[in-house]
């Protein structure tokens, strides 16, 4: 049974059929999936969701596929960790980490969006998928399309971290390293997408793909006992995840699955690529594109497709936005590892670094519930910290050498 009515333009509201379309022909606004919420409300209860397998498809009525899901059957339902040690360090009462650094199969939140995109691409009859990626999307499309038996073309900026490149090549896709930044890769892919009949997960399938991010928010609310947190800090690249987390929470409220929604949503970016943060701080309706220069490469999108919606999410929810330097990113990665045993990639360093700043500034009060979104795994961006965590102590295989070299 389908709960999708079709697509709808976010700007002018014009409706379109369920097809691989993504921009409005009249106003060039982005298209979004339009659900039949009345029908969903009759079907979906907390109990039904709780009885389902612990994966991202527990809320399948709120995801844009018509049949049963075929991909990502082990994706999602990642841990929500009560971070007791970090609470002490930061001086706050109730802090959680939503930890997608252990997501299946490729250790980032992108596994969620790709699962939806591939399930949908198959419903549309595509045999080839493609993407423009800052790294994690490349990993996930390569892995999941391999399992699905789809042809896969993946486009990345040539200067990505080795972990992201190896973590893509291992699944044997056609990997194209473009000499340019992500925004140039994306522009090229938009041209390719008009010429070849491929499912570009974040271009012509984008309205469907992006919906997968909502599951991140659904899970947080369920894991908090069907409550939304007071504050949630989200890393931003193209601005899709933050927009969809907010949409997901609003849907839960509309469907009566949570009783109250007074969550403030905060955007986090690196100083070297902070077009969304700048727009929030300048109270601007437009995003000024920047040329990225940061170690947080997974967030290095200088011209974010959903930037204006990220800004309106922050404003509508009453949140705020903040940026951190590369040094602060590394410090936050180290802090998270030594306090909570979670090794996150640079994006997680951005999120925690920004959280720390917002608490210090008094923007986030110390006695209310806070969720920090950890979206990727540190093993993929080892070069960011390699020179900043000391070295192992070398000894000979003797007790004397041990005692000479190690102070107990
Ligand atoms: C892609 C990505 C994000 C942000 O994604 P957008 O939806 O483009 O804002 C956050 N964290 C990580 C690790 C990512 O790979």
């Amino acid at each position: 049974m389908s709960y999708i009515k079709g697509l709808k333009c976010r700007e002018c509201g014009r409706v379109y059929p369920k097809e691989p379309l993504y921009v409005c022909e009249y106003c060039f606004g982005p298209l979004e999936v339009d659900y039949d919420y009345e029908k969903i409300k009759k079907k979906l209860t907390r109990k039904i969701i709780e009885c389902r397998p612990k994966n991202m498809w527990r809320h399948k009525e709120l995801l844009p596929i018509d049949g049963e899901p075929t991909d990502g059957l082990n994706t999602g339902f990642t841990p929500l960790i009560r971070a007791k040690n970090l609470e002490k360090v930061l001086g706050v009462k109730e802090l959680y980490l939503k930890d997608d650094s252990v997501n299946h199969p490729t250790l980032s939140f992108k596994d969620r969006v790709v699962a939806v995109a591939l399930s949908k691409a198959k419903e549309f009859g595509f045999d080839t998928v493609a993407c423009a990626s800052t790294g994690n999307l490349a990993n996930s499309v390569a892995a999941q399309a391999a399992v699905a038996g789809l042809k896969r073309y993946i486009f990345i900026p040539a200067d990505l971290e080795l972990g992201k490149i190896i973590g893509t090549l291992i699944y044997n896709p056609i990997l194209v390293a473009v000499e340019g930044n992500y925004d140039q890769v994306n522009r090229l892919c938009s041209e390719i997408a008009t010429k070849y009949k491929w499912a570009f997960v974040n271009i012509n399938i984008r309205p469907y793909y992006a919906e997968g991010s909502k599951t991140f928010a659904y899970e947080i609310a369920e894991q908090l006992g069907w409550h939304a947190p007071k504050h949630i800090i989200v890393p931003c690249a193209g601005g899709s995840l933050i927009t969809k987390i907010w949409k997901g929470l609003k849907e839960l409220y509309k469907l009566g699955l949570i009783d109250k929604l007074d969550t403030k949503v905060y955007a986090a970016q690196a100083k070297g690529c902070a077009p969304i943060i700048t727009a929030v701080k300048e109270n601007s309706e437009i995003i000024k594109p920047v040329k990225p220069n940061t170690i947080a490469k997974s967030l290095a999108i200088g011209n974010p497709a959903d930037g204006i919606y990220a800004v309106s999410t922050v404003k509508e929810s009453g949140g705020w936005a903040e940026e951190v330097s590369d040094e602060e990113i590394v410090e936050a990665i180290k802090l998270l590892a030594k306090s909570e045993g979670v090794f996150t990639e640079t994006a997680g360093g951005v999120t925690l670094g920004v959280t720390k700043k917002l608490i210090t500034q008094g923007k986030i009060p110390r006695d209310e519930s806070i969720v920090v979104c950890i979206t990727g795994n540190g093993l993929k961006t080892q070069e960011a910290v390699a020179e900043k965590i000391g070295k192992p102590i070398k000894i000979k295989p003797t007790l004397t050498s041990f005692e000479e070299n190690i102070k107990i």
Side-chain angles (χ1 to χ4, degrees), residues 207-283:
Y208 305 94
Y209 151 95
E211 290 288 290
S213 291
K214 296 188 304 185
T215 62
F216 196 89
Y218 301 152
E219 290 173 16
I220 292 171
E222 184 182 348
Q223 288 166 316
L224 288 174
W226 297 107
H227 292 294
K230 279 281 203 179
H231 307 276
I232 177 162
I233 303 91
V234 190
C236 299
S240 176
L241 175 63
I242 189 171
T243 310
K244 295 295 178 173
I245 283 178
W246 182 231
K247 180 180 179 188
L249 290 175
K250 286 197 291 188
E251 286 176 336
L252 292 185
Y253 181 63
K254 178 152 58 177
L255 296 169
L257 293 166
I258 54 174
D259 300 326
K260 205 165 81 178
L261 178 58
D262 57 357
T263 305
K264 291 184 163 69
V265 184
Y266 302 82
Q269 292 197 295
K271 267 207 172 85
C273 182
I276 293 171
I277 311 308
T278 306
V280 170
K281 288 186 171 174
E282 291 178 353
N283 198 19

Side-chain angles (χ1 to χ4, degrees), residues 121-181:
K122 282 186 272 179
E123 285 186 359
F124 284 138
F126 286 103
D127 64 1
T128 304
V129 293
C131 69
S133 172
T134 57
N136 284 312
L137 185 60
N139 296 170
S140 193
V141 169
Q144 297 197 54
V147 177
L150 297 162
K151 276 179 265 167
R152 44 211 184 273
Y153 291 85
I154 293 175
F155 299 81
I156 54 168
D159 72 342
L160 275 197
E161 301 96 339
L162 194 57
K164 299 264 168 82
I165 293 173
I166 293 174
T168 303
L169 280 176
I170 193 70
Y171 306 108
N172 199 29
I174 295 151
L175 179 62
V176 186
V178 180
E179 288 171 359
N181 62 30

Side-chain angles (χ1 to χ4, degrees), residues 4-188:
I4 331 168
K5 294 201 269 193
L7 296 172
K8 199 174 180 176
C9 175
R10 272 200 78 140
E11 293 301 323
C12 73
R14 207 173 284 266
V15 294
Y16 290 83
K18 283 182 266 185
E19 279 169 21
L21 301 168
Y22 64 108
V23 275
C24 179
E25 286 170 18
Y26 294 88
C27 75
F28 301 106
L31 302 183
E32 195 177 29
V33 179
D34 189 19
Y35 296 89
D36 185 342
Y37 289 109
E38 286 307 310
K39 200 160 146 193
I40 296 174
K41 194 166 185 175
K42 284 191 198 116
K43 170 80 195 284
L44 206 57
T45 62
R46 291 179 187 175
K47 236 205 190 96
I48 285 180
I49 296 170
E50 284 165 359
C51 289
R52 288 180 173 165
K54 289 193 159 59
N55 64 45
M56 59 171 275
W57 296 103
R58 294 156 81 72
H59 333 85
K60 61 183 177 190
E61 290 81 357
L62 289 161
L63 293 171
I65 59 166
D66 290 320
E68 284 301 307
T70 53
D71 304 81
L73 301 181
N74 294 295
T75 301
F77 219 83
T78 53
L80 184 76
I81 301 166
R82 178 76 188 258
K84 286 275 182 194
N85 293 332
L86 253 185
E87 284 173 4
K88 282 201 201 96
V89 178
L90 301 179
V92 294
K93 218 170 111 197
E94 194 182 350
L95 187 91
Y96 303 86
L97 311 169
K98 176 61 174 168
D99 188 10
D100 263 17
S101 76
V102 293
N103 206 359
H104 182 86
T106 65
L107 310 175
S108 87
F109 104 87
K110 293 292 198 305
D111 289 325
R112 300 173 184 271
V113 279
V114 172
V116 175
L118 297 200
S119 283
K120 197 68 203 172
K122 282 186 272 179
E123 285 186 359
F124 284 138
F126 286 103
D127 64 1
T128 304
V129 293
C131 69
S133 172
T134 57
N136 284 312
L137 185 60
N139 296 170
S140 193
V141 169
Q144 297 197 54
V147 177
L150 297 162
K151 276 179 265 167
R152 44 211 184 273
Y153 291 85
I154 293 175
F155 299 81
I156 54 168
D159 72 342
L160 275 197
E161 301 96 339
L162 194 57
K164 299 264 168 82
I165 293 173
I166 293 174
T168 303
L169 280 176
I170 193 70
Y171 306 108
N172 199 29
I174 295 151
L175 179 62
V176 186
V178 180
E179 288 171 359
N181 62 30
Y182 173 82
D183 299 286
Q184 294 169 304
V185 176
N186 193 49
R187 213 168 304 133
L188 168 66

